[in-house]
Structures are given as structure tokens and as C-alpha cells.
Amino acid sequence: MANKSPTNRFPNKQQRPDQEQPATDPGPWGATTSEEPTNTDDTGLDLIALGKRIRYLRKKRNYTLDDLSELINTAPSQLSLIENGKREPKLSLLRALAQALDVSTDDLLGTEPPDRRVALEIELERAQRGDGYRSLGLPNVKPSSRIPTEVLESLVGLHREVQRQTNIRAATPEEARQSNSELRLRMRDKNNYFGEIEQEVRKLLHEVGYTSGPLSQHAISDLASHLGFSLHHVNDLPHSTRSVTDLRNRRIYLTQKQTSSHDPRAILLQALGSYVLGHTVPTDYSDFLAQRVETNYFAAALLVPESSAVDFLRDAMRNKQIAVEDLRDNFAVSYETAAHRFTNLATQHLGIPTHFQKVHKSGIIFKAYENDGVAFPQDPTGAIEGQPICRYWTSRQVFDVTDKFSAFSQYTDTANGTFWCTARTESGPDGEFSLSVGVPYDHSKWFRGKDTTSRSRSRCPEPDCCRRPPADLSMTWAGNVWPSARANSSHLAAMPPGSFPGVDETEVYEFLDKHNDD
């Protein structure tokens, strides 16, 4: 098949790393963030941009400071302060300036820089007035006409990179939890259905001749070739990576080892997803998380294609026999992938609100999603990851079930209503986990397992539900026990540094350099 041209197939994302950034890209300092100095007055007037525009128009008409000052009847020193963004001109002076420069007041107050040079000068001024730059104790560089434009380009580029690195390294555990919470809310607003990604996947499936059923390994290889990539299985893939994409030589490196708990098809599709969705180097931890969610969604949408999956689920719904394990078996994916994919499609196509949990045997939530009103425990930031789930919920009760080969179903009465859930356990490198999917009671009629007699009651977050030990046990043991907690060091440390948190970039670059001549 013919290779595709390197256009951005995902309009809501930035350009891919192999594409040149537009000349007018404002960079991190050009967008409003909590760290960016806005340099505006109380009315929102951008004094730096106004001053640069006045200076540009003055020089365009070959006026000196003295010439223009005489025309508007003000001192040259006052005009210099205005041009340097250090003083706000009165409305009467703005009108005089507009008349003297032969432009309208609206033109004078416009937000669009008149040319690239002025845009760079504005961005440099803003960067140097920010707290981040001032904390370095470095002198300011005045962007005078004597400084070549390429020097300004370099200075602004350095400021952008410093800000990007600062944003990435600022991802403390608290900020990571906040980012996770914000992302989960966005997913809930969409009912966990990403129509833009589904559309991209439909195009690709059509282009490789997919019709129905599971996506074969052959079709996945065709897809990689169709997108212009060759696949290379190696035994020295950097330990901190699942795959490495060489955009220069259009290669995707994957491990030859079969010890990974991750589906190798999904790993390849996630790598292709970053390319198809136009991902660039993450600007901060929130961007990194969003990209992970998108590539995971992309891979699942290919492994469990929407059209086939919806037909399959609708048939099961008509028979009142929806089961996550049937979705798993029909598309030859993991139970977790099938559960995730069900949450993508259930509300959008079946009208069923739902929730998903991945819970460690210790009771700690690793992943969760809901749009059905179930109340997950939260910390003060709104994060649910790392919080203990009620021991009476299905996701905890399933660990005590003897039959590990069948799905366990249970009704749980909560303060937010009664929910039916189905769950099963799986073991991995990090221990035993439960994977559960649940729906409100009224929707349980569509599922296999609805006839279960297992039922429990959760009164969480009331302490007497399961957080506080029973009174008789407390009477016996309180004050006589000193347990040694298994502390998780990641709770105390900042997130791993780097453009891609947790990835050793030096190791990756050395790996690519080694394989460049293969």
C-alpha cells in the first residue's frame, strides 16, 4: 500500500514531532498559564504589545522619539516609557498617537503583532518579566533593533524550553493527582467516547480493508506499512520503554521478549496512535496523561472496532445477555481492554451509564471511571487513584470468591443508589487486581449475571462502614499492635523527570544511534 503523506490527521491536536512548527507559534510564554506574566493593566490592556506596536509604527514612518513626541505634545521620556510597556497612556493620548501614526485607535490596540520580529520582541519581554526568569538572577536583554532577528529566535526558543522543562518537573504527586482528576472529568463529559478518534480509526480500517470481527495481526502489520513504518523486533529495547519510534527513518522498534504483561498488538497500535493523532512532545504532565489516554483509546478502538463491537453488544442487549467476557472472547483481547471498550460504547450506543474500576488486592484504586452516579472515594484534590474502596463493593468482595475462572456478580446498596457489578481478578507483575464494570440497578436487566443472589450494603464514607474496626476487635487489640506499613515511595517523590516521564532519554537516543545503520 502507498504511504500516507505526513499531514495532521487529527485536527484537534498539535503537529507531529516531524513537522516544522509554524513561525507564529507563541510557545508556552505566549499562552496564558499560572506562571505567565500577563503585563496588563486593570482594564486588560496589554502594555507590552501596545508599546511594541507604537514603536513599530513610529519607525515605519521614520519618526524619532522627539518627532512623535512633538506631534502628540508629550515629553520624549514619557513616550519611551509607553513604548517600553511601563506606562499606560491615557485615552486622549492614545487618540493623539493614532492620529499622528495615521491608524485607527482599534488598530493601535490590536492584539496581533504586525510582524514576526515584533512578536518575538513581545514574547521575550513577557518572558523576562516573569517570576521564573527573575528568580534566575540574570540580566534582561533589551530587544533593540541592533539585535539580529535570529538572536531573538534563539533567546525566545530558550525561554520556551526552560518553561516547558519547568512545567514537566513541577509534576509533584499532588499535581499529578489533580491532572488525573481533571482528565477523568473530561472523559465523563464525553461519556468516555472520543468521536474524533473513532473517526480516525474508521478511516484506517477502511484503508486496510477491514470488514468485521477481530483485527488480525496481519491487518495490524498492513496498517503500520500503510502509514509508512517498518517494524523492527529487537532484544535490547531500552528498559524504560515499551516501544521506540524513529520518526527520521520511519521505524518502530518493539521487543522480542515475551515476558511483558502487555498485549504486543496494543503496544504497536499505541505507537502508531501517537503518530496518527499528531502528538508532539508533552508540554506538561497533564498533556502527557491526555496523550496516554488517547493512544490507549486508539489501540482499543482498533482491536475492538466500533461497528463490529456495537453490533455484537446490541445483539447481546436484545437477548439480555451482555457480558464483558463475551466481548473479550469475541475480539481476542484482554478482559481489561474489553471492559474499557465497553465503557467507551455503552452510553454512546446503548444508552447505558456505567462505571469501571481497577482495584489492587489491598483495596486501593488504581484506575476508575464513572458516568452513572456511583460515588468513588476522593482525596481533597478530587483524585480517586490511591484511595481505598469500600470492602463491601464488588471490586473488593471478588477477591474472596473461590471460583477464579468465572465472573462474579453482585448488587451493592449505596447512599447513591443500588448498583449491579460484575468483576473478576487477574494477576500481574504488581500483584493481584480486580477489574469490575457496573451499572445502576435499572440497567442490570441487560446483563448476564443479573440473577445473582449476592448482595451487600455499603455505608461509606461513614467511618463505621468499613474504615473503623468493629468495636469488639478494637476492645481486644487497640493499643497492643504496631504494624509496619509497606510505604510506597512514589507517594513522597516528585513525578519522574523528562519530556516523557519515566523514560531515560539518553538510553533511547543511544539505542537509536546504535540501530541507525541497521
Side-chain angles (χ1 to χ4, degrees):
M1 295 185 180
N3 294 344
K4 301 193 73 65
S5 59
T7 56
N8 191 342
R9 294 172 52 90
F10 199 56
N12 293 332
K13 297 300 295 180
Q14 299 174 355
Q15 290 173 292
R16 293 190 300 273
D18 56 333
Q19 289 181 293
E20 183 178 353
Q21 293 295 316
T24 57
D25 178 14
W29 285 108
T32 301
T33 68
S34 59
E35 295 297 326
E36 181 203 354
T38 56
N39 301 291
T40 58
D41 66 1
D42 294 337
T43 66
L45 182 63
D46 190 331
L47 301 182
I48 293 178
L50 173 63
K52 295 295 182 184
R53 183 174 289 275
I54 291 172
R55 178 174 294 168
Y56 171 82
L57 293 170
R58 172 175 65 80
K59 292 188 174 183
K60 186 176 180 181
R61 284 157 181 76
N62 294 318
Y63 290 159
T64 64
L65 270 175
D66 291 335
D67 294 336
L68 185 56
S69 298
E70 186 175 347
L71 287 173
I72 62 175
N73 195 28
T74 191
S77 59
Q78 297 301 309
L79 179 57
S80 177
L81 289 172
I82 293 171
E83 287 191 353
N84 288 316
K86 296 179 179 179
R87 174 159 299 181
E88 177 192 358
K90 295 181 179 179
L91 181 59
S92 57
L93 186 56
L94 277 175
R95 289 171 177 164
L97 280 166
Q99 183 177 3
L101 296 170
D102 195 25
V103 296
S104 68
T105 305
D106 288 342
D107 289 338
L108 201 61
L109 297 174
T111 58
E112 190 69 24
D115 62 17
R116 175 63 177 164
R117 168 82 188 198
V118 175
L120 290 169
E121 292 179 358
I122 292 172
E123 189 171 346
L124 182 61
E125 288 273 11
R126 287 175 176 168
Q128 293 181 153
R129 295 189 191 188
D131 292 339
Y133 184 77
R134 286 200 296 266
S135 68
L136 299 176
L138 298 174
N140 286 357
V141 176
K142 185 176 181 180
S144 67
S145 58
R146 293 188 296 273
I147 295 181
T149 300
E150 56 268 25
V151 173
L152 287 180
E153 293 273 10
S154 296
L155 290 172
V156 168
L158 286 171
H159 278 289
R160 290 176 183 173
E161 180 61 17
V162 167
Q163 180 63 18
R164 189 182 71 82
Q165 293 291 339
T166 300
N167 288 339
I168 291 173
R169 284 166 172 74
T172 62
E174 180 180 356
E175 288 166 314
R177 290 195 296 271
Q178 288 177 331
S179 297
N180 244 334
S181 301
E182 293 166 2
L183 181 58
R184 193 175 65 256
L185 291 175
R186 293 200 298 272
M187 292 164 66
R188 185 172 64 189
D189 289 342
K190 292 174 171 284
N191 289 323
N192 207 20
Y193 179 82
F194 290 69
E196 312 97 315
I197 299 179
E198 298 284 0
Q199 183 178 3
E200 291 297 318
V201 168
R202 282 195 294 272
K203 291 179 185 176
L204 290 174
L205 289 172
H206 174 74
E207 289 164 359
V208 297
Y210 170 84
T211 54
S212 63
L215 191 68
S216 68
Q217 184 65 51
H218 178 73
I220 293 174
S221 297
D222 281 350
L223 178 60
S225 177
H226 178 69
L227 292 172
F229 289 95
S230 59
L231 305 181
H232 299 260
H233 292 83
V234 296
N235 57 15
D236 61 341
L237 195 72
H239 75 282
S240 59
T241 66
R242 296 178 187 174
S243 68
V244 174
T245 302
D246 177 355
L247 292 169
R248 177 188 298 170
N249 297 305
R250 314 286 285 183
R251 298 173 177 176
I252 296 177
Y253 292 96
L254 303 160
T255 184
Q256 289 180 340
K257 301 175 183 177
Q258 300 300 318
T259 57
S260 173
S261 61
H262 301 283
D263 186 338
R265 298 176 303 163
I267 293 173
L268 170 56
L269 291 175
Q270 287 163 6
L272 292 173
S274 292
Y275 171 81
V276 172
L277 303 181
H279 288 166
T280 59
V281 176
T283 56
D284 54 28
Y285 194 70
S286 293
D287 194 27
F288 171 75
L289 286 179
Q291 289 185 10
R292 285 287 295 270
V293 166
E294 289 174 358
T295 54
N296 288 342
Y297 191 109
F298 176 86
L302 280 164
L303 291 171
V304 187
E306 182 179 23
S307 58
S308 296
V310 170
D311 288 344
F312 182 83
L313 289 171
R314 282 177 175 161
D315 283 343
M317 189 176 185
R318 279 191 290 269
N319 296 320
K320 297 184 178 180
Q321 287 291 312
I322 296 176
V324 175
E325 56 265 39
D326 287 354
L327 192 66
R328 172 202 63 189
D329 295 342
N330 190 70
F331 290 93
V333 294
S334 69
Y335 188 89
E336 184 171 356
T337 296
H340 275 301
R341 194 63 177 135
F342 178 78
T343 67
N344 298 154
L345 305 173
T347 307
Q348 179 73 16
H349 292 288
L350 308 179
I352 300 176
T354 185
H355 67 266
F356 165 83
Q357 298 175 73
K358 183 175 183 179
V359 175
H360 190 262
K361 191 172 184 178
S362 63
I364 298 300
I365 298 175
F366 266 52
K367 297 179 185 177
Y369 161 80
E370 60 81 21
N371 71 347
D372 61 355
V374 72
F376 289 126
Q378 299 182 0
D379 69 9
T381 69
I384 61 179
E385 292 77 14
Q387 295 299 300
I389 203 72
C390 177
R391 67 176 61 249
Y392 298 114
W393 282 29
T394 311
S395 54
R396 293 285 299 276
Q397 294 285 297
V398 68
F399 289 108
D400 297 328
V401 175
T402 304
D403 182 2
K404 299 298 183 183
F405 296 97
S406 302
F408 169 70
S409 300
Q410 173 184 285
Y411 290 97
T412 307
D413 300 317
T414 76
N416 284 37
T418 298
F419 295 87
W420 174 90
C421 299
T422 181
R424 61 183 303 120
T425 59
E426 290 185 352
S427 296
D430 298 320
E432 192 174 0
F433 289 87
S434 70
L435 300 161
S436 62
V437 171
V439 298
Y441 177 85
D442 289 344
H443 292 274
S444 63
K445 61 185 177 182
W446 307 116
F447 292 81
R448 185 189 306 155
K450 56 185 172 292
D451 298 327
T452 180
T453 57
S454 297
R455 195 177 193 115
S456 67
R457 183 184 177 215
S458 169
R459 291 181 291 108
C460 279
E462 295 180 20
D464 287 337
C465 178
C466 66
R467 304 291 178 89
R468 185 179 295 163
D472 56 341
L473 289 177
S474 294
M475 288 284 292
T476 303
W477 294 105
N480 295 304
V481 178
W482 189 269
S484 178
R486 180 178 293 175
N488 188 338
S489 61
S490 65
H491 292 166
L492 306 176
M495 300 306 297
S499 301
F500 300 91
V503 172
D504 186 330
E505 291 185 62
T506 299
E507 187 180 25
V508 171
Y509 294 158
E510 289 175 347
F511 166 82
L512 288 176
D513 201 50
K514 173 184 174 182
H515 287 275
N516 188 50
D517 297 326
D518 289 356

